[in-house]
Amino acid sequence: MMKRRASANDAGNSHLPAKKIRSGINHGAATPMKWQDSPQGLSADWVFSNNSNVNICNDRRWFTEFTPFKSVTSSGAVEGVGTVNLPVKRDPDMRGPQAHHVLRLTNVLYTPSSDFNILGQPLFELAPQLTLRSTPKSRGTLDGEDGNPIAFFSPNAPLYCLRLSGPPIGPRLAPTKFEPGQLYFVGTSWPDSERARWNRRGQPDEAAKTKPRQPVGRQPVGQQPYTAEEKAWLKKHYQGEFKFLMSYGLSIYDEEDREEGRAIMRALVSPGEDDDEEEEDKEKEEEEEDKDDNFNHPSDYLFDNKERAWVKNHYQNCAAFMTLNGLRWWNDDELADAKRLIKSSIRDDE
């Protein structure tokens, strides 16, 4: 998650008529819940991010169930996994107990270093219908399969933040971490190898049971530590062992995976590899050009090739990038903000 200074004026959105709540529907009363209370309040910012494959929470007090578990995401270290009961308002025009709902979020990662709580693609399991439409009272809605409202996004936040239920229905909330005059975008990714490691926790390691014994005096190639030259190769081509293992679905927290990774790396490296690097770079450039051909939204042509390549790597297209960051591609000022944000992110990656 990154934060950038916005220099252009943030023009207001044009408003559409508010969604009309259908009458005669029994939405049910809010589920009674208890949350940890403190004078500081619980972290208030729950941001929807369509390009994230997991939910993360930065406040341990939100968890009603918690299992310590060391892992890592693209946005920081993970200290545990658990369940969060999130009290939300269903619709800005509803009143009384029926106006509230509780989202039960499971397999939420506790990532204390994250500035915000992030709601990723698992949110669609609870609210399959998402509408991103700004009105004076909301920035969009989340509905169930039956079309009944489940939650909505606050109209006052710079990103798509759920409108939570405060006391006495929900817990006391801390002040928002959003700052005026700032431009934000959020996103996180949990590697499949780490998710698999979480899913198989507590299970016996079958590979260890069936692993053949090695003859005395012979050490498998994967068990030998990396040499300085091999570490330099990993740094050059994969930015280190962690990302190299991720690319093969392996985990740096599993010693057998690391051993397998060392064997793979040594099989890849050959004496003539450096001679082929120029040709490989050319092939990568051609692949990037092919990727550019997949862009077909009008906003995609407002960015140069390097910017589009970065967007393609992190988002589906430029329109998705701008929408998820609360920007409108047809607005010149907000387009300039988007280009500055992308350029700054590219510099951070280099």
Side-chain angles (χ1 to χ4, degrees), residues 6 42 90 98 122 147 149-150 164 184 197 219 225 235-236 249 268 280 306 318 330 337:
L42 277 64
R90 290 180 180 270
Q98 294 181 346
I150 291 178
L164 303 186
Y184 300 86
R197 192 168 66 89
Q219 187 179 29
K235 181 69 174 177
K236 177 180 180 181
L268 290 174
E280 290 177 358
K306 188 174 183 180
C318 298
W330 61 88
D337 285 340

Side-chain angles (χ1 to χ4, degrees), residues 131-158:
T131 302
L132 300 180
R133 185 183 67 174
S134 293
T135 73
K137 296 182 179 180
S138 79
R139 296 193 66 186
T141 59
L142 292 167
D143 298 335
E145 292 182 352
D146 55 4
N148 290 335
I150 291 178
F152 69 94
F153 299 112
S154 172
N156 302 319

Side-chain angles (χ1 to χ4, degrees), residues 9-222:
N9 293 329
D10 185 13
N13 291 332
S14 59
H15 300 310
L16 298 175
K19 178 181 177 181
K20 183 178 180 181
I21 304 299
R22 291 175 290 174
S23 60
I25 299 176
N26 182 9
H27 299 292
T31 304
M33 292 286 173
K34 291 184 179 180
W35 290 269
Q36 298 184 40
D37 197 10
S38 70
Q40 295 78 21
L42 277 64
S43 59
D45 303 311
W46 286 85
V47 184
F48 171 67
S49 171
N50 189 44
N51 65 322
S52 300
N53 66 356
V54 69
N55 299 328
I56 69 173
C57 177
N58 60 12
D59 191 336
R60 175 66 175 81
R61 297 169 298 171
W62 271 114
F63 288 86
T64 57
E65 300 174 12
F66 186 81
T67 301
F69 183 79
K70 297 294 185 181
S71 184
V72 67
T73 68
S74 60
S75 56
V78 174
E79 296 187 6
V81 183
T83 299
V84 171
N85 292 319
L86 195 63
V88 294
K89 292 200 66 176
R90 290 180 180 270
D91 190 280
D93 292 326
M94 296 182 69
R95 299 291 183 270
Q98 294 181 346
H100 303 275
H101 181 68
V102 173
L103 292 173
R104 183 173 174 81
L105 309 174
T106 58
N107 290 331
V108 180
L109 306 187
Y110 175 41
T111 310
S113 61
S114 177
D115 288 340
F116 305 108
N117 306 305
I118 298 178
L119 295 163
Q121 295 163 7
L123 182 62
F124 291 118
E125 298 174 5
L126 302 176
Q129 299 188 40
L130 168 68
T131 302
L132 300 180
R133 185 183 67 174
S134 293
T135 73
K137 296 182 179 180
S138 79
R139 296 193 66 186
T141 59
L142 292 167
D143 298 335
E145 292 182 352
D146 55 4
N148 290 335
I150 291 178
F152 69 94
F153 299 112
S154 172
N156 302 319
L159 297 180
Y160 292 100
C161 291
L162 286 185
R163 176 68 165 83
L164 303 186
S165 301
I169 301 297
R172 181 184 292 113
L173 300 174
T176 179
K177 288 189 176 181
F178 288 114
E179 300 176 7
Q182 299 283 351
L183 185 64
Y184 300 86
F185 77 90
V186 299
T188 190
S189 177
W190 197 24
D192 291 340
S193 58
E194 288 299 287
R195 191 188 302 272
R197 192 168 66 89
W198 161 254
N199 290 334
R200 67 172 182 262
R201 67 195 183 284
Q203 298 178 4
D205 191 343
E206 297 296 332
K209 292 181 179 179
T210 59
K211 187 176 180 180
R213 296 177 60 87
Q214 297 293 329
V216 177
R218 295 183 60 185
Q219 187 179 29
V221 64

Side-chain angles (χ1 to χ4, degrees), residues 184-308:
Y184 300 86
F185 77 90
V186 299
T188 190
S189 177
W190 197 24
D192 291 340
S193 58
E194 288 299 287
R195 191 188 302 272
R197 192 168 66 89
W198 161 254
N199 290 334
R200 67 172 182 262
R201 67 195 183 284
Q203 298 178 4
D205 191 343
E206 297 296 332
K209 292 181 179 179
T210 59
K211 187 176 180 180
R213 296 177 60 87
Q214 297 293 329
V216 177
R218 295 183 60 185
Q219 187 179 29
V221 64
Q223 289 185 2
Q224 302 169 14
Y226 285 121
T227 65
E229 291 78 9
E230 290 171 337
K231 290 180 180 178
W233 186 91
L234 288 172
K235 181 69 174 177
K236 177 180 180 181
H237 295 277
Y238 290 90
Q239 298 180 332
E241 182 186 9
F242 174 74
K243 290 191 175 181
F244 172 74
L245 293 175
M246 279 183 57
S247 67
Y248 286 91
L250 303 174
S251 171
I252 199 169
Y253 297 101
D254 188 312
E255 192 54 43
E256 289 195 355
D257 281 3
R258 296 187 70 185
E259 180 180 330
E260 182 179 351
R262 288 190 288 267
I264 293 173
M265 178 266 179
R266 285 160 182 155
L268 290 174
V269 177
S270 61
E273 180 183 325
D274 291 339
D275 298 335
D276 298 332
E277 286 188 359
E278 184 175 347
E279 183 176 348
E280 290 177 358
D281 291 340
K282 184 177 180 180
E283 291 177 355
K284 288 181 180 179
E285 291 178 1
E286 293 175 352
E287 290 176 0
E288 291 298 328
E289 291 177 359
D290 292 339
K291 289 180 181 179
D292 287 341
D293 292 338
N294 295 327
F295 284 76
N296 54 18
H297 190 275
S299 63
D300 297 325
Y301 301 98
L302 302 175
F303 300 84
D304 61 32
N305 290 339
K306 188 174 183 180
E307 292 166 346
R308 288 202 301 270

